[in-house]
C-alpha cells in the first residue's frame, strides 16, 4: 500500500509466467495488437500511436519529451510536486527553454497562473501532472486544452498514478501526449510505460528539424514495429506484454466506471478511518487523489520506526514522504488490486496499533 508498485493479481502473475516466445511470433503479435486496443480504451482515446514503451514510467516521460522537443524550443511546465520538477529537468536536457509555474506542494495548480504565463510567448509544449504521486493531488485537466491553444502548445500529461484508477479521457480532454506506468492502478509489475500520441503530436514529431536525441525512445523507429511493418527495433519484453494484456483485461472486465468508483469508495473509507485515528490529511478533499492519500506524521512519531513496524508485524508497506514532505508525511496507496476493503481495514488496524504503542493515537 505504498505509492507503487501495487499488489498484482494471481492471473497477471500467471500471465507473466507463460512460456517465452519470439517477439515476431504470430501469437505474440496478436497479443500485442490486443494490448494496444485495450490501452486505447483505458486511456479514452482512438489515437493510433498508443503503445507500451519497454521501460518503466519515467521512460514514458522521456519518450514524450524527447520526441516532441528540440533544442531551443519553449516548454511551459507546471510543478506541484516531485514529478513536475522531473518534467522540467527532462525538458532542459532536451535543450528546451523551460518556463516553470510552481505551486505549493499539496495544492493543485491554479490554471489562471498558467494562463498568465502562457501569454508571455509561444510554447511548443505545455506539461502538467494529472496525479502527483509525491503529494496525492489530483489535478483537474479541464482548463488546460484552452490554455495550450492560447500559446500554440501541445498538451503533455503525466498519468502515471491515475491511469486505471481515475478517468483520464485523453480525447475528451484534448491531450496530445500522455504517459503512465504499469505498476500503479493497472496492478501489473513495473517494467512498461504506456504512452499515447495524438495526430497533432505525431505531425510535430514527423516534421522535426533534428533527429530525436534518444535512439531507443524514437517513436519514428518504434512505431514501425508496432505498426503493420513489424520492422525490428528492439526485442519486445514478451512476458511483460503478456502480463499487461491480462491486467488490462481484468480492468475492462470490471468496467472502468466501476473501477473508478471502487477507488473513490475505498479512498473515502480510508480517509474517514485515518481522521478517526486523529491523523491529519494534508490535501484538501476537493483535489484529493483516490489512489494515493497523504497523511501528516504526528509530532514526536518516528517515521521509519512506524513503517518498519507495519512491515514487520503486519506485512504492510506504506510510503514515506518525498521532497517537501520528506519525514513529514506518509503516502498510502490504494491502487488497482490494492484498493479493497481488506487493505483499508488492515492499514487502519496496523496504523492504530503502531501509533498506540508510540502514544500518539487518540
Amino acid at each position: 500500500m505504498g505509492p507503487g508498485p501495487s499488489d498484482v493479481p494471481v492471473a497477471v502473475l500467471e500471465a507473466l509466467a507463460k512460456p517465452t516466445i519470439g517477439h515476431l511470433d504470430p501469437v505474440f503479435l496478436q497479443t500485442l495488437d490486443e494490448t494496444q486496443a485495450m490501452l486505447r480504451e483505458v486511456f479514452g482515446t482512438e489515437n493510433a500511436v498508443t503503445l507500451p514503451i519497454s521501460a518503466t514510467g519515467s521512460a514514458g516521460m522521456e519518450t514524450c519529451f524527447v520526441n516532441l522537443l528540440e533544442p531551443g524550443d519553449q516548454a511551459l511546465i507546471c510543478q506541484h510536486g516531485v514529478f513536475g520538477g522531473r518534467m522540467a529537468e527532462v525538458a532542459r536536457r532536451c535543450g528546451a527553454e523551460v518556463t516553470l509555474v510552481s505551486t505549493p506542494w499539496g495544492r493543485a495548480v491554479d490554471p489562471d497562473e498558467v494562463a498568465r504565463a502562457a501569454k508571455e510567448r509561444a510554447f511548443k509544449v505545455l506539461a502538467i501532472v494529472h496525479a502527483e504521486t509525491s503529494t496525492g493531488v489530483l489535478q483537474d485537466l479541464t482548463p488546460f486544452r484552452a490554455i495550450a491553444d492560447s500559446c500554440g502548445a501541445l498538451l503533455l500529461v503525466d498519468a502515471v498514478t491515475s491511469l486505471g484508477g481515475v478517468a483520464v479521457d485523453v480525447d475528451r480532454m484534448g491531450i496530445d501526449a500522455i504517459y503512465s506506468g504499469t505498476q500503479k492502478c493497472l496492478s501489473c509489475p513495473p517494467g512498461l510505460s504506456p504512452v499515447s500520441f495524438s495526430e497533432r503530436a505525431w505531425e510535430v514529431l514527423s516534421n522535426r528539424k533534428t533527429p530525436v536525441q534518444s535512439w531507443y525512445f524514437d517513436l519514428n523507429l518504434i512505431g514501425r514495429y508496432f505498426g503493420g511493418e513489424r520492422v525490428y527495433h528492439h526485442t519486445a519484453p514478451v512476458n511483460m506484454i503478456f502480463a499487461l494484456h491480462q491486467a488490462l483485461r481484468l480492468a475492462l472486465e470490471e468496467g472502468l466506471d466501476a473501477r473508478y468508483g471502487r477507488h473513490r469508495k475505498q479512498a473515502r473509507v480510508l480517509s474517514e478511518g485515518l481522521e478517526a485515528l486523529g491523523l491529519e490529511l494534508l490535501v484538501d478533499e476537493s483535489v484529493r487523489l483516490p489512489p494515493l492519500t497523504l497523511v501528516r506524521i504526528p509530532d514526536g512519531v518516528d517515521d521509519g520506526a512506524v513503517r518498519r513496524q507495519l512491515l514487520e508485524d503486519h506485512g504492510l508497506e506504506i510510503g514515506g514522504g518525498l521532497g517537501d514532505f520528506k519525514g513529514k508525511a506518509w503516502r498510502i496507496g490504494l491502487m488497482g488490486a490494492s484498493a479493497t476493503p481488506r487493505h483499508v481495514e488492515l492499514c487502519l488496524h496496523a496504523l492504530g496499533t503502531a501509533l498506540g504503542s508510540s502514544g500518539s493515537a487518540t
Side-chain angles (χ1 to χ4, degrees), residues 40-361:
R40 290 186 188 99
E41 193 168 350
V42 176
F43 268 125
T45 186
E46 295 182 4
N47 289 341
V49 184
T50 302
L51 53 91
I53 295 295
S54 303
T56 55
S58 293
M61 180 187 295
E62 292 260 2
T63 298
C64 289
F65 280 99
V66 301
N67 280 275
L68 297 178
L69 289 177
E70 299 185 63
D73 282 343
Q74 298 288 332
L76 177 57
I77 297 179
C78 307
Q79 180 182 16
H80 56 300
V82 164
F83 295 95
R86 189 170 294 182
M87 280 181 159
E89 175 63 19
V90 173
R92 292 188 186 102
R93 292 188 182 210
C94 293
E97 296 181 18
V98 172
T99 298
L100 200 62
V101 177
S102 296
T103 300
W105 289 37
R107 299 183 193 173
V109 174
D110 182 349
D112 290 338
E113 291 186 20
V114 183
R116 284 193 289 272
K119 292 178 180 178
E120 295 177 6
R121 61 180 63 86
F123 289 94
K124 182 76 164 293
V125 163
L126 165 57
I128 191 164
V129 177
H130 184 213
E132 179 51 76
T133 315
S134 61
T135 65
V137 169
L138 178 63
Q139 180 70 46
D140 179 13
L141 298 177
T142 306
F144 289 91
R145 177 68 264 164
I147 297 172
D149 287 340
S150 74
C151 59
L154 298 168
L155 180 57
L156 194 165
V157 171
D158 176 322
V160 170
T161 306
S162 52
L163 187 67
V166 177
V168 175
D169 293 330
V170 168
D171 288 354
R172 187 172 67 83
M173 290 293 174
I175 297 168
D176 291 303
I178 190 166
Y179 61 91
S180 187
T182 50
Q183 76 276 18
K184 308 279 188 172
C185 294
L186 294 178
S187 284
C188 184
L192 294 173
S193 180
V195 302
S196 186
F197 275 49
S198 70
E199 289 184 9
R200 176 166 38 191
W202 187 255
E203 183 178 355
V204 168
L205 167 58
S206 300
N207 291 297
R208 290 176 60 102
K209 297 181 181 67
T210 59
V212 175
Q213 71 176 51
S214 168
W215 180 90
Y216 188 73
F217 295 131
D218 186 343
L219 285 176
N220 289 301
L221 303 177
I222 297 172
R224 297 179 67 192
Y225 170 71
F226 279 89
E229 294 179 82
R230 302 301 184 189
V231 175
Y232 173 73
H233 178 259
H234 65 272
T235 302
V238 172
N239 290 69
M240 274 300 303
I241 297 294
F242 286 157
L244 176 58
H245 181 271
Q246 181 60 34
L248 291 168
R249 281 186 59 184
L250 293 177
L252 295 175
E253 286 173 0
E254 179 179 2
L256 293 178
D257 287 343
R259 192 177 184 89
Y260 304 150
R262 171 167 61 85
H263 281 80
R264 289 192 300 270
K265 178 179 179 180
Q266 297 309 320
R268 183 171 61 252
V269 175
L270 176 65
S271 296
E272 291 171 355
L274 292 169
E275 289 176 330
L277 289 174
L279 295 170
E280 178 186 356
L281 305 185
L282 292 169
V283 174
D284 187 81
E285 186 177 1
S286 64
V287 293
R288 200 174 291 160
L289 175 62
L292 190 108
T293 301
L294 191 72
V295 187
R296 192 180 77 82
I297 299 171
D299 294 339
V301 169
D302 186 321
D303 171 21
V306 168
R307 288 193 286 129
R308 188 162 51 251
Q309 183 176 345
L310 296 186
L311 190 61
E312 293 175 354
D313 294 353
H314 304 277
L316 175 68
E317 176 191 273
I318 64 172
L322 289 179
D324 288 1
F325 290 121
K326 184 175 177 61
K328 301 176 183 177
W330 292 310
R331 293 179 297 153
I332 302 176
L334 286 173
M335 302 178 187
S338 298
T340 73
R342 173 183 170 273
H343 284 80
V344 172
E345 291 166 7
L346 172 62
C347 182
L348 294 173
H349 168 72
L351 264 179
T353 301
L355 294 173
S357 65
S358 67
S360 300

